[in-house]
Amino acid sequence: MGTVVGAVAAASLLSGCAGPQYTYVRDDSGGTYFKVPASWRQIDQKALDKVFIGDTESATAQLTKQSLWTAAFDAYDKPSLLHLLQGSAGADDKPFVLAKVQKLSEVEQNAASLDLLRASPPMPVPLTEEQRKAFEVAGLSGFELLADEMLPITDGVRGVRTVYNYRVENGPVQTFDRTAYLSADGTTASTLLIRCSPACYRQRAAEIDTIVKSFKVKRLINP
């Protein structure tokens, strides 16, 4: 499933030679969309597929690809998928954003809930002490919950926004801002994950909040 990205030209028309302020992104179905600053650079899709799908030539990977859409953007001049987990120290760090839209299996649909959205990878939120310990073994330690908010239900779409800290592989503390939606029919989970150092997150809070609030899932009506 390919990424659909378009920069709206209206800003250019209104401001003369100035380029668009944002890049607007949507998944293949058009049901999930968000925007990022136009200066942020998109992560190579093949690199993303390798991480989230695996060997893209295998039959299993091809099936996974039919049910999974991803896109990522990095505020660094030299974008790297590694920035999903960690960047520079302190306020010099820059945000990284990952979007994921996944068709749920029948078993997942039957178990679908806001907790399922919180606990879905990457960078899952531990729901129990047992999960927290398991995540620590996997390299995610020092979990701190900073905020957790149920979002208003719109056209049957449910959502939750969770902000939390982790240490990845005993590195410095990182702040993650996760917004996730469950489609009205319960078949699709859409997640937006933003990472930055705590100092970076505080410094760029307004910018990050603008991106998060642009992340929406609309109810698609079949013809």
Side-chain angles (χ1 to χ4, degrees):
M1 303 174 72
T3 303
V4 179
V5 180
V8 173
S12 299
L13 297 176
L14 293 174
S15 57
C17 296
Q21 186 177 3
Y22 291 101
T23 297
Y24 291 77
V25 190
R26 64 181 182 184
D27 75 319
D28 289 338
S29 72
T32 298
Y33 53 94
F34 63 99
K35 67 181 182 181
V36 296
S39 61
W40 291 24
R41 300 175 184 273
Q42 187 173 3
I43 296 297
D44 178 69
Q45 193 61 44
K46 290 183 179 179
L48 272 180
D49 289 347
K50 186 174 181 180
V51 170
F52 287 95
I53 298 176
D55 181 3
T56 56
E57 298 302 318
S58 72
T60 300
Q62 291 302 313
L63 289 174
T64 301
K65 196 171 184 178
Q66 293 177 21
S67 62
L68 180 67
W69 175 91
T70 58
F73 292 81
D74 194 347
Y76 277 90
D77 292 336
K78 295 183 178 180
S80 171
L81 187 51
L82 295 176
H83 292 154
L84 171 62
L85 303 180
Q86 187 172 312
S88 301
D92 290 336
D93 190 23
K94 297 183 179 182
F96 184 101
V97 58
L98 168 73
K100 183 182 74 167
V101 179
Q102 184 169 12
K103 294 291 185 181
L104 303 178
S105 67
E106 185 174 346
V107 173
E108 290 170 330
Q109 290 179 40
N110 291 335
S113 67
L114 295 184
D115 277 347
L116 176 67
L117 298 180
R118 293 181 178 98
S120 63
M123 312 310 297
V125 175
L127 303 178
T128 64
E129 182 64 16
E130 289 74 19
Q131 284 185 347
R132 186 187 65 78
K133 291 179 180 178
F135 294 162
E136 285 187 353
V137 172
L140 301 178
S141 62
F143 174 79
E144 297 176 310
L145 181 64
L146 304 179
D148 188 73
E149 174 190 9
M150 291 179 59
L151 302 175
I153 298 175
T154 304
D155 292 332
V157 177
R158 293 182 288 159
V160 61
R161 181 180 180 183
T162 308
V163 184
Y164 50 101
N165 287 340
Y166 262 136
R167 290 184 183 274
V168 182
E169 299 292 346
N170 296 317
V173 174
Q174 306 292 326
T175 297
F176 295 89
D177 191 325
R178 165 193 288 266
T179 300
Y181 288 104
L182 183 66
S183 64
D185 61 5
T187 64
T188 306
S190 302
T191 302
L192 187 79
L193 181 68
I194 300 177
R195 183 217 59 83
C196 216
S197 71
C200 161
Y201 188 83
R202 291 190 296 269
Q203 184 181 65
R204 304 180 71 153
E207 180 182 29
I208 290 172
D209 197 53
T210 296
I211 297 169
V212 171
K213 288 182 177 178
S214 76
F215 182 57
K216 301 294 183 183
V217 173
K218 64 181 179 180
R219 184 172 187 171
L220 297 178
I221 301 176
N222 295 324

